[in-house]
Each structure stands twice: as C-alpha cells, then as structure tokens.
Amino acid sequence: MSKRIVIIGGGVIGLSTAWHCHASGHQVTVIDRGPSHRGGCSFGNAGMIVPSHMIPLAAPGMIRMGLKWMASPESPFYIRPRLSMELASWLWKFKTACTQQHVDRSAPLLRDLHLASRAGYEALQSELPDGFDFSPTGLMMLCKKNKSFHEECETAKFAERLGVPVKVLSAPEAAELDPSITMDISGAVYYPKDCHLSPNRLMSAMENRLAAQNVDFRWDCEVTDFAYSASPVSNQIERVLTNLGEFDADEIILCGGVWSSAMGIRLGIELPMQAGKGYSVTLQNPVERPSICSILTEARVAVTPMGEAVRFGGTMEIAGLDESISTSRVRGILKSIPDYFPKFAVSDFRDCKPWVGLRPCSPDGMPYLGRPRRLQNVIVSTGHAMMGISLAMVSGELVAEMVDGKPASIEGLELLSPDRYGRRS
Ligand SMILES: Cc1cc2nc3c(=O)[nH]c(=O)nc-3n(C[C@H](O)[C@H](O)[C@H](O)COP(=O)(O)OP(=O)(O)OC[C@H]3O[C@@H](n4cnc5c(N)ncnc54)[C@H](O)[C@@H]3O)c2cc1C
C-alpha cells in the first residue's frame, strides 16, 4: 500500500531515504529548512565510501589521542570547553563506549553496512547517467612516521580478520599504485574496496531526478513540532507542523543531521548528539591530481580527487552548533599537505574559500537507525558522523524496508537502535 511519507532533512541521508521510499511506490515529501541551493554537511565533505572504516569513532586510545591534540590550535581535534550538561553527558557516554568490546561488536556491522552501501552506489550509477564521479579505485592510508605505519598495519590485520580486503604497501609500492602524485611517506595501507565520489554532484543529481519523479520538495520549511493523532492510538504522529503549514503523514522519517536531537526531544526520543565541525578546501587547478583518494594519517586529512579538482578535508571540533571558521584549524590542514605531497605549497590555496560542515556525532560512533519503541509511525536515520556519505545508500534502503514492514536485509541493527540511550518521559 502506498503511504504518505514525510522526510525531515534534505541532506544525503534524507535524499537517499527519499530515493528508496519513492522506488518502493510511496508518496514522498522532503522538508528542509534550507533553500534548494543549500550547502550543509552533505555537500563539501570528502566524498569517500569507506568499508575500511569499520572501527567506530569511540574506540580504545581515542581519549588519550584527543587529550594530546587539545593543546594545539592547529590540531585535527578539539573540544571547546563550555558549561553544558549535554556535552558532559555526551563525553561520559563516549568514554564508556571506548572499549575493545564495543569495537568488536560494531565492526562486523559497520563492514556489512559500508559494503552494502557501496553496492548501492554502483547500482545508482546506471540510474543517474550524468554520474557523480563515482570511482571504485580504493583508498590509501598514507603514513609519514614508522609508528603510525605500524599502527595502520595493526588495523589492516584487524580488517583482514573481518574479511575486508587490504594490502600493506612500501613507499615505492604506493608510488607505483598512484604514479600521478609525488608522495613523501614511509608506507601506506591500501583498501581496494573503498571508493570516492563528488558529493555536490551526487546531491544535485539525486535531487533533480527525485523532483522530476514528483517527489515533493519543500524548501525554507522548518519543522517546529508534531501533532499526535487523537486517542485511542496516541503513539501515532498525524501531522508535521512547520512555518509553512502542516503536513499529514502516514510515516515520518527523521533525517535532520545534527539538529535531529532537538526534534527528538519534541518526539520524546533521547538522541544524544554533538556537532563534529570539519572543514574542507577544494583546489581547482592542483599541481598534481591523485587518482586514488587517501588519508594523511597523522594529520587526519582526507584527500579526494573530484573531477579536475582535489578536495582536502579534516578536523573534528566539538564546539556546539557554531558554524564559524577557525583559520588556525584550516591552516593546520593546509600545512600538513606539503609534508605528504611535496609538490604542493600552502600558497597554492591562497584563493580557496574554506567550507565548513557539522557532522552529526553520536557518543558511540554508531548511527541511530530504526523505529523508536514509543512511536508507531516514526523512523530515525541520523548520527552518521564521518560516514554519512558512505552509509547513505544502505540507510535509505533499510528505512524503506522498515516502512514496508519487511525483514531487514542486514543483521545486527539493534546496535543502531534509537532507544539505546533510553527515552524521554
Ligand atoms: C570535512 C568533512 C568531511 C567528510 N567526509 C566524509 C567522507 O569522506 N565520507 C563520508 O561518508 N562522510 C563524510 N563526512 C560526513 C558526512 O558529510 C555527514 O555524515 C553527512 O553529510 C550527514 O548527512 P545528513 O543528511 O545526516 O545531515 P545534513 O547534511 O546536515 O542534513 C540535515 C538536513 O536537515 C535539515 N534540518 C535540520 N533541522 C531541520 C528542521 N527543524 N526543519 C527542517 N529541516 C531541518 C538541515 O537544513 C539539513 O539540510 C564528512 C564531513 C565533514 C564535515
């Protein structure tokens, strides 16, 4: 039966959800408080699809590494100190999740989700003939120091045990794999199943196609509240209330990125979330253009070829919902690039305008994906942190299965339950 589905949020998670729900024959409305030519987190990111990222952000060693980085204004990680119960509670939950047991439980699920999403993007290519620069050429973790190379080799062994293809490369082997860029490294770890794409092209291609298929997009439309249906079924939301009027819905899908936790409060769902601010700069005429995307391991900078350009992205700043740009953090990204790619100079980026985006980060590094127990017709899909592009296709697919009451095509989704941090009374 065709349902009226209202999707809140027109980021990559909302669009992928719209894509799959529309394909299942439902009547879909996407609501976003931004304009059609918006530029949030889903646009300026590094566009990587990463089966290699099967270790969640909350993992042993993260607290120690974070504390070490806190001292430097150019480091890739920072928590802005502030008196906030929400932040204190999120940090406590993060610390509690930084265990090997959490990694061992989460990694097989993350692997399955990333690989399923990768397959989804491969299929999407044939449906969007103008393309979105999808390149299944793998990803290299580039290491300057022997110590981090050794750590990356340990992660490679973990990936291998989980069946994720991986290859350890000496510096000359890395140069042979990607001769289009000059590298100064001690070694690399190569994940051949990883891919990259241009998020800006992906977003506009999906939006244009969906609009042409009569998916109803409502821009500049802010969700302010929800109206429950009259008893006897009071755990059913009947209407979504916005500044542009009310929308009747059979199903409501919450894909509001970092702002989802505020909407969660209105729905009585506890979705602890912090914004993980990141920056990117896109160089239109690079001196060299890699053909494989990479991560500059010690600097935590992602490098992605996009058409003729190259995008460099990084930092994770926990600083509330503030979208201002820290010039010292951007400088930290730029200064790291010539260390790995000696043909580049910081001055190459003189005319580049930095972009900023807020990643929606849950404390355990896992998305929230599922139906909250207390609401019959709401599905949550958010909190994808550094993996929202990578996991978008599978997230949309899983939500469409939930809408249709089908069994989930991937096992272990209880780890993503939106009820895992309890619920509001
Ligand atoms: C520097 C950087 C690099 C990254 N690189 C990668 C990468 O290589 N690979 C990867 O997988 N991920 C990457 N990410 C992460 C990825 O960008 C995010 O996980 C993803 O974009 C989140 O998408 P979303 O749809 O959940 O949220 P968003 O894109 O933030 O969309 C949420 C939408 O909800 C709307 N909204 C919010 N509140 C309301 C309301 N009340 N009413 C109506 N609308 C509302 C907002 O306007 C917004 O458009 C990166 C992020 C950064 C910052």
PDB file of all heavy atoms in Angstrom, residues 53 161 216 311 350 361 377:
ATOM      1  N   HIS A  53      36.563   1.808   7.085  1.00  0.00           N
ATOM      2  CA  HIS A  53      36.249   2.459   8.366  1.00  0.00           C
ATOM      3  C   HIS A  53      35.294   1.597   9.175  1.00  0.00           C
ATOM      4  O   HIS A  53      34.155   1.980   9.421  1.00  0.00           O
ATOM      5  CB  HIS A  53      35.645   3.842   8.126  1.00  0.00           C
ATOM      6  CG  HIS A  53      36.652   4.882   7.753  1.00  0.00           C
ATOM      7  ND1 HIS A  53      37.690   4.630   6.881  1.00  0.00           N
ATOM      8  CD2 HIS A  53      36.792   6.183   8.135  1.00  0.00           C
ATOM      9  CE1 HIS A  53      38.415   5.736   6.741  1.00  0.00           C
ATOM     10  NE2 HIS A  53      37.890   6.680   7.484  1.00  0.00           N
ATOM     11  N   ARG A 161      41.066  -9.875   9.273  1.00  0.00           N
ATOM     12  CA  ARG A 161      40.309 -10.887  10.044  1.00  0.00           C
ATOM     13  C   ARG A 161      38.809 -10.772   9.778  1.00  0.00           C
ATOM     14  O   ARG A 161      38.077 -11.736   9.837  1.00  0.00           O
ATOM     15  CB  ARG A 161      40.593 -10.732  11.548  1.00  0.00           C
ATOM     16  CG  ARG A 161      41.957 -11.250  11.974  1.00  0.00           C
ATOM     17  CD  ARG A 161      42.008 -11.511  13.474  1.00  0.00           C
ATOM     18  NE  ARG A 161      41.886 -10.314  14.285  1.00  0.00           N
ATOM     19  CZ  ARG A 161      42.870  -9.469  14.580  1.00  0.00           C
ATOM     20  NH1 ARG A 161      44.075  -9.707  14.135  1.00  0.00           N
ATOM     21  NH2 ARG A 161      42.658  -8.409  15.333  1.00  0.00           N
ATOM     22  N   ASP A 216       7.959  15.576  -3.654  1.00  0.00           N
ATOM     23  CA  ASP A 216       7.608  16.948  -3.305  1.00  0.00           C
ATOM     24  C   ASP A 216       8.679  17.534  -2.373  1.00  0.00           C
ATOM     25  O   ASP A 216       8.814  17.082  -1.234  1.00  0.00           O
ATOM     26  CB  ASP A 216       6.237  16.889  -2.593  1.00  0.00           C
ATOM     27  CG  ASP A 216       5.692  18.250  -2.277  1.00  0.00           C
ATOM     28  OD1 ASP A 216       6.256  19.251  -2.756  1.00  0.00           O
ATOM     29  OD2 ASP A 216       4.693  18.311  -1.519  1.00  0.00           O
ATOM     30  N   ARG A 311      40.038  17.823  -3.359  1.00  0.00           N
ATOM     31  CA  ARG A 311      39.492  18.373  -2.107  1.00  0.00           C
ATOM     32  C   ARG A 311      40.262  17.805  -0.922  1.00  0.00           C
ATOM     33  O   ARG A 311      40.573  16.609  -0.886  1.00  0.00           O
ATOM     34  CB  ARG A 311      38.006  18.016  -1.993  1.00  0.00           C
ATOM     35  CG  ARG A 311      37.369  18.547  -0.715  1.00  0.00           C
ATOM     36  CD  ARG A 311      35.857  18.379  -0.752  1.00  0.00           C
ATOM     37  NE  ARG A 311      35.239  19.283  -1.710  1.00  0.00           N
ATOM     38  CZ  ARG A 311      33.954  19.221  -2.068  1.00  0.00           C
ATOM     39  NH1 ARG A 311      33.159  18.301  -1.548  1.00  0.00           N
ATOM     40  NH2 ARG A 311      33.459  20.074  -2.945  1.00  0.00           N
ATOM     41  N   ARG A 350      45.843  29.931  -1.708  1.00  0.00           N
ATOM     42  CA  ARG A 350      45.576  31.355  -1.448  1.00  0.00           C
ATOM     43  C   ARG A 350      44.153  31.766  -1.811  1.00  0.00           C
ATOM     44  O   ARG A 350      43.483  32.474  -1.074  1.00  0.00           O
ATOM     45  CB  ARG A 350      46.549  32.169  -2.310  1.00  0.00           C
ATOM     46  CG  ARG A 350      47.213  33.314  -1.629  1.00  0.00           C
ATOM     47  CD  ARG A 350      48.232  33.987  -2.524  1.00  0.00           C
ATOM     48  NE  ARG A 350      48.356  33.379  -3.851  1.00  0.00           N
ATOM     49  CZ  ARG A 350      49.493  32.928  -4.363  1.00  0.00           C
ATOM     50  NH1 ARG A 350      50.611  33.002  -3.664  1.00  0.00           N
ATOM     51  NH2 ARG A 350      49.544  32.416  -5.581  1.00  0.00           N
ATOM     52  N   CYS A 361      27.256  13.588  15.356  1.00  0.00           N
ATOM     53  CA  CYS A 361      28.039  12.537  16.035  1.00  0.00           C
ATOM     54  C   CYS A 361      27.320  11.988  17.259  1.00  0.00           C
ATOM     55  O   CYS A 361      27.063  12.725  18.227  1.00  0.00           O
ATOM     56  CB  CYS A 361      29.381  13.101  16.470  1.00  0.00           C
ATOM     57  SG  CYS A 361      30.372  13.717  15.101  1.00  0.00           S
ATOM     58  N   ASN A 377       4.786   5.324  14.052  1.00  0.00           N
ATOM     59  CA  ASN A 377       4.994   5.687  12.641  1.00  0.00           C
ATOM     60  C   ASN A 377       6.137   6.684  12.441  1.00  0.00           C
ATOM     61  O   ASN A 377       6.081   7.550  11.575  1.00  0.00           O
ATOM     62  CB  ASN A 377       3.689   6.231  12.028  1.00  0.00           C
ATOM     63  CG  ASN A 377       3.257   7.528  12.673  1.00  0.00           C
ATOM     64  OD1 ASN A 377       3.565   7.785  13.831  1.00  0.00           O
ATOM     65  ND2 ASN A 377       2.564   8.358  11.916  1.00  0.00           N
TER      66      ASN A 377
END
